Amino acid sequence: IDVPIATGMDASAGTPAGTANRRPDPPAETILLVDDDPTVLASLRMLLQAMDYRVRAVESATSARSLVGDRDDLPDLIITDYRLPEAVTGSSLVEQLRAQTGRRIPAIILSGDITLGALEDEITDCILLRKPVIISDLEQGIRQLLDGELAGR
């Protein structure tokens, strides 16, 4: 009887090679996602969950403030649309949530506005991405902010 030799397995432990001494993955970071467009909100939620983030998704600044006020586990990152209902901007929401939590929560602001020049002057300590967002740009921005923020805790 010929039995093929398994590749990619640690024969002594019966586990995939390279995983025997690997630490378990850390708990997923939490992202607060705010967008008033239900289609964009659902799409981004699914994308972020597929990237293994916990996602709290809401459609307004009021809902975001309530969610953050009612939770013990604060978001590690905020991703928000720039233009929100109730004449609120994403940058003002980020500042309100930072004041409410007493933490400088890192943030990404998404905008469909093609003239980002004026926004870039207003948004100085957040990453600004244009819609439709390029997934690799979003991933890079998330890791840049979370790795910098979490390393400083």
Side-chain angles (χ1 to χ4, degrees), residues 117-131:
L119 295 181
E120 288 171 348
D121 292 339
E122 175 187 339
I123 300 167
T124 57
D125 63 343
C126 301
I127 291 177
L128 178 61
L129 296 177
R130 178 176 287 137
K131 288 181 180 178

Side-chain angles (χ1 to χ4, degrees), residues 60-77:
S60 70
T62 300
S63 296
R65 288 188 297 268
S66 295
L67 184 69
V68 168
D70 293 343
R71 301 192 70 82
D72 291 330
D73 60 333
L74 297 176
D76 297 300
L77 176 74

Side-chain angles (χ1 to χ4, degrees), residues 129-149:
L129 296 177
R130 178 176 287 137
K131 288 181 180 178
V133 69
I134 298 170
I135 294 172
S136 60
D137 290 348
L138 181 62
E139 276 185 299
Q140 181 181 355
I142 290 170
R143 288 305 347 145
Q144 177 186 342
L145 292 172
L146 287 176
D147 292 344
E149 173 68 13

Side-chain angles (χ1 to χ4, degrees), residues 3 7 30 40 48 63 94 107 116 138 149-150:
V3 178
T7 58
T30 300
V40 172
L48 294 168
S63 296
V94 168
L116 291 180
L138 181 62
E149 173 68 13
L150 296 176

Side-chain angles (χ1 to χ4, degrees), residues 68 74-75 94-105 149:
V68 168
L74 297 176
V94 168
E95 288 307 314
Q96 292 167 15
L97 294 174
R98 287 174 173 172
Q100 181 178 340
T101 62
R103 282 188 46 223
R104 191 147 197 85
I105 303 169
E149 173 68 13

Side-chain angles (χ1 to χ4, degrees), residues 32-36 41 45 56-61 63-64 67:
L32 173 60
L33 177 62
V34 187
D35 199 303
D36 61 321
L41 192 68
R45 174 193 286 157
R56 309 290 187 249
V58 296
E59 293 184 7
S60 70
S63 296
L67 184 69

